[in-house]
Amino acid sequence: MPGLNAALALLPSPARLRNAVADLLLAAAERVSRPSPEAGPAALAPLPQDGGPTQDAAKGLALSRLAWADRLWGEGCLLPGGMAEIHRLSGLLPLSPATTVLLLGRDAGGAAGSLIAQRGAWVAVHQRDPVLRERMAARLRPYGRRATVLPWDPACPAFRAGYHHHALALEALDGADPAALSMALAAALKPGAQLVMLEVVQGEHPGPAPLLERWMALEGRAVPPRRRLAEAALQRAGFQLHVAEDTAPRHAAAIIESWSRMIAGLREAGAPALRAGAAGLVTEAELWLLRHRLMASGALGFLRWHATLRR
């Protein structure tokens, strides 16, 4: 949409970016002060809130951002492309009701629930973030024992040894040493297990340091790994790489498509309480606009690896 593209054009300055996005969203709030009588049944879910005065500020913002993520990518999804992307990735794994899959990384229950509901698999979810763990545990409770939600430490990754048939890792290298995580995944999987790994990596063309630093601060992440180091770590751990797909174009297109759709939906459906969730929305908008710009410039890459454990 024109407003979003105009905001993208301002990205070289982080301060101007934040102001531009805030102005865009607050202007949208003024325009959607009452519901449109023509809004269809597909109106968006209730607007997120930033948390009341008694709620911990950090947790309130985290919950608000999760709620906006639900509206952007689909319930429980944290990746552009939403459930379609999850199905694309998980469809590469030979899952069945007789298999257990190790899932870690960027998910709020959407991917885990899909693996159970669509493929019948048993899912061992490992989530580093306590707010996400709480949200996932609640979302996955209806699946009973087919889903377990456990913590993990990227600084010292360790999972149940030799137990899992396959693994799906969604940006799991954030804060983790590629060699340590690769060895931990290999130790957790049965021989012949397949791994699908989606990861942000350093690009071939380093971008402006302030943009990268701002994006890392918003995502709360460390510097992404280099592609060759991540692939070498997987191979040393015993994985045979079959496919390395550049998914950045699809990822970037999904970012713009979802943001355009959501803002258009807010305008159609009406959002008198938009300001209540504005802090989380502005933060998410800046984060994803920055990610899009860094990928478009070649400062960040986005890869999907498909590998088999040979040992």
Side-chain angles (χ1 to χ4, degrees):
M1 60 178 292
L4 200 55
N5 290 333
L8 279 169
L10 297 174
L11 277 170
S13 166
R16 290 177 66 195
L17 167 70
R18 190 170 183 85
N19 291 337
V21 173
D23 289 346
L24 170 68
L25 296 173
L26 290 177
E30 296 295 340
R31 287 193 294 270
V32 294
S33 58
R34 64 169 56 93
S36 165
E38 298 179 359
L44 297 172
L47 286 166
Q49 304 293 310
D50 286 332
T54 60
Q55 187 178 49
D56 175 79
K59 184 175 182 179
L61 179 59
L63 290 173
S64 175
R65 290 175 64 180
L66 280 174
W68 285 116
D70 281 350
R71 293 162 66 84
L72 276 166
W73 323 121
E75 186 174 352
C77 299
L78 297 179
L79 289 171
M83 201 59 70
E85 183 67 14
I86 290 169
H87 290 163
R88 179 182 287 109
L89 297 171
S90 63
L92 300 169
L93 297 172
L95 303 180
S96 74
T99 58
T100 296
V101 60
L102 171 62
L103 173 66
L104 65 158
R106 188 180 285 270
D107 184 43
S114 173
L115 295 177
I116 300 171
Q118 302 298 322
R119 309 294 299 280
W122 296 71
V123 182
V125 179
H126 287 75
Q127 177 52 249
R128 59 184 290 185
D129 183 87
V131 175
L132 275 175
R133 273 203 309 276
E134 182 180 338
R135 176 63 61 90
M136 295 177 83
R139 278 198 169 120
L140 298 175
R141 194 168 295 123
Y143 297 108
R145 296 177 60 190
R146 282 199 171 269
T148 57
V149 182
L150 300 168
W152 76 291
D153 181 4
C156 187
F159 313 104
R160 185 172 176 179
Y163 180 74
H164 309 85
H165 295 89
H166 305 291
L168 177 61
L170 307 173
E171 298 187 33
L173 280 174
D174 177 23
D177 174 64
L181 181 57
S182 297
M183 293 299 294
L185 286 171
L189 295 172
K190 297 178 180 292
Q194 294 188 35
L195 165 68
V196 171
M197 196 168 191
L198 193 67
E199 196 59 57
V200 176
V201 297
Q202 293 184 41
E204 298 297 325
H205 307 287
L211 286 187
L212 184 61
E213 291 169 0
R214 177 62 180 165
W215 171 74
M216 289 190 298
L218 287 169
E219 290 219 1
R221 69 155 64 220
V223 177
R226 293 191 178 278
R227 172 180 177 173
R228 60 179 180 80
L229 294 179
E231 291 180 346
L234 287 168
Q235 291 169 336
R236 283 195 302 271
F239 289 99
Q240 178 182 348
L241 295 178
H242 303 300
V243 176
E245 178 194 8
D246 177 11
T247 63
R250 185 170 71 240
H251 189 74
I255 291 173
I256 296 301
E257 178 186 355
S258 293
W259 275 99
S260 299
R261 183 176 61 248
M262 189 182 76
I263 292 177
L266 289 173
R267 288 172 174 165
E268 284 185 14
L274 179 57
R275 290 178 182 273
L281 181 55
V282 169
T283 301
E284 283 297 288
E286 183 181 1
L287 182 160
W288 287 104
L289 289 169
L290 279 168
R291 182 185 276 227
H292 182 281
R293 178 56 180 263
L294 290 165
M295 286 193 304
S297 69
L300 290 179
F302 203 61
L303 291 174
R304 187 266 298 177
W305 293 297
H306 189 184
T308 300
L309 183 62
R310 302 296 189 194
R311 65 175 185 199

